């Protein structure tokens, strides 16, 4: 179990440092900045690379919502859920701490300017409302878990699961960065919010509630569909059709 928790810590650390780091350090770099597309790809690449690096040890969740969704689908034990979430949040905060140290080395750095924190209303990149942010985070996390549950199912080509999941996260960011700066991951949101404080901590509740709701819905839908499929494939009993 200790090895699994360390793997989750490292994976989430990498996700925040790589994903949020691309937004804070490289998105608007003069003349050669990577922009929204580059940030989206960076988040996808962090998950893809760590899925293969430490995924075989812990399952490669790196996200409390993913752990909750897998639990709801009956594919992760409840007694490991809390410890996974703690390791993920700790990794996210550590990743944000390293990013803060790097970013603060530039003259004029102002953490209150955002630090890749998630927000709605005045703190949404596109000034989207609370309702828009809520719907976006629930639906995007639902879709993310659908991809994860399908790509890692024993009937699927699991050796390519990391690629599918990384590309799914890239797509999610391409769609939702303007709305919320994209969370779909409560740990990632917490990492940034801890350093921004103020409004980021005040709005953090949404980026725990919405992703977990979306993940739970996906997990329960997956469980229902799996039961229906099993019933359809089950052979007739006593010669009955």
């Amino acid at each position: 179990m200790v090895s699994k928790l360390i793997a989750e810590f490292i994976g989430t650390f990498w996700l925040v440092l790589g994903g949020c780091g691309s937004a804070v350090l490289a998105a608007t770099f003069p003349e050669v900045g990577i922009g929204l597309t580059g940030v989206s790809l960076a988040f996808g690449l962090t998950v893809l690379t760590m899925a293969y690096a430490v995924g075989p040890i812990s399952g490669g969740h790196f996200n409390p919502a993913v752990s909750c969704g897998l639990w709801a689908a009956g594919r992760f034990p409840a007694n490991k859920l809390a410890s996974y979430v703690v390791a993920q949040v700790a990794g996210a905060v550590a990743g944000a701490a390293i990013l803060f140290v790097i970013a603060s080395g530039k003259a004029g750095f102002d953490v209150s300017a955002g630090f890749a924190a998630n927000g709605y209303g005045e703190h949404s990149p596109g000034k989207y409302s609370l309702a828009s942010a809520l719907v976006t985070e629930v639906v995007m996390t639902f879709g993310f878990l659908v991809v994860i549950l399908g790509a890692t199912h024993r009937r699927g080509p699991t050796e390519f699961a990391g690629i599918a999941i990384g590309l799914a996260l890239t797509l999610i960011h391409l769609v939702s960065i303007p709305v919320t700066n994209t969370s779909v991951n409560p740990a990632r949101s917490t990492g940034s919010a801890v350093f921004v404080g103020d409004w980021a901590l005040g709005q953090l509740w949404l980026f725990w509630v919405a992703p977990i709701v979306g993940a739970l819905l996906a997990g329960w839908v997956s469980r229902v569909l799996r039961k229906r499929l099993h019933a359809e494939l089950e052979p007739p009993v006593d010669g009955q059709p």
Side-chain angles (χ1 to χ4, degrees):
M1 188 61 181
V2 172
S3 296
K4 293 180 179 182
L5 297 180
I6 292 172
E8 285 296 303
F9 177 95
I10 292 171
T12 316
F13 171 92
W14 187 243
L15 185 150
V16 171
L17 182 60
C20 295
S22 70
V24 172
L25 305 175
T28 59
F29 195 78
E31 298 182 14
V32 293
I34 61 175
L36 184 153
T37 302
V39 173
S40 301
L41 185 59
F43 271 100
L45 288 173
T46 61
V47 170
L48 189 157
T49 51
M50 278 296 155
Y52 290 107
V54 300
I57 300 172
S58 67
H61 300 189
F62 318 140
N63 182 339
V66 171
S67 298
C68 290
L70 290 170
W71 166 78
R75 290 173 52 181
F76 188 70
N79 62 356
K80 293 182 180 179
L81 192 56
S83 55
Y84 261 56
V85 171
V86 170
Q88 291 156 0
V89 172
V93 173
I98 296 298
L99 177 59
F100 179 83
V101 170
I102 296 170
S104 60
K106 180 181 178 180
F109 169 69
D110 180 12
V111 70
S112 66
F115 200 57
N118 301 114
Y120 55 84
E122 279 300 307
H123 303 291
S124 156
K127 310 304 179 188
Y128 285 86
S129 68
L130 168 60
S132 294
L134 178 65
V135 171
T136 298
E137 290 293 327
V138 170
V139 173
M140 292 297 167
T141 312
F142 178 90
F144 191 37
L145 264 293
V146 168
V147 172
I148 291 171
L149 290 166
T152 58
H153 193 276
R154 65 181 182 277
R155 292 176 178 269
T158 55
E159 63 272 20
F160 299 112
I163 298 173
I165 294 167
L167 289 175
L169 190 60
T170 299
L171 173 61
I172 287 167
H173 279 78
L174 286 171
V175 173
S176 60
I177 285 178
V179 184
T180 63
N181 230 7
T182 309
S183 173
V184 302
N185 184 337
R188 167 263 189 271
S189 298
T190 302
S192 295
V194 164
F195 288 89
V196 175
D198 192 25
W199 64 266
L201 288 174
Q203 296 189 353
L204 182 60
W205 67 270
L206 177 71
F207 303 104
W208 275 87
V209 173
I212 288 176
V213 168
L216 291 176
L217 289 173
W220 290 327
V221 168
S222 172
R223 179 176 284 192
V224 170
L225 292 177
R226 192 166 66 247
K227 287 181 178 178
R228 288 180 63 89
L229 178 62
H230 179 74
E232 290 169 2
L233 295 177
E234 196 173 62
V237 179
D238 296 329
Q240 297 297 318

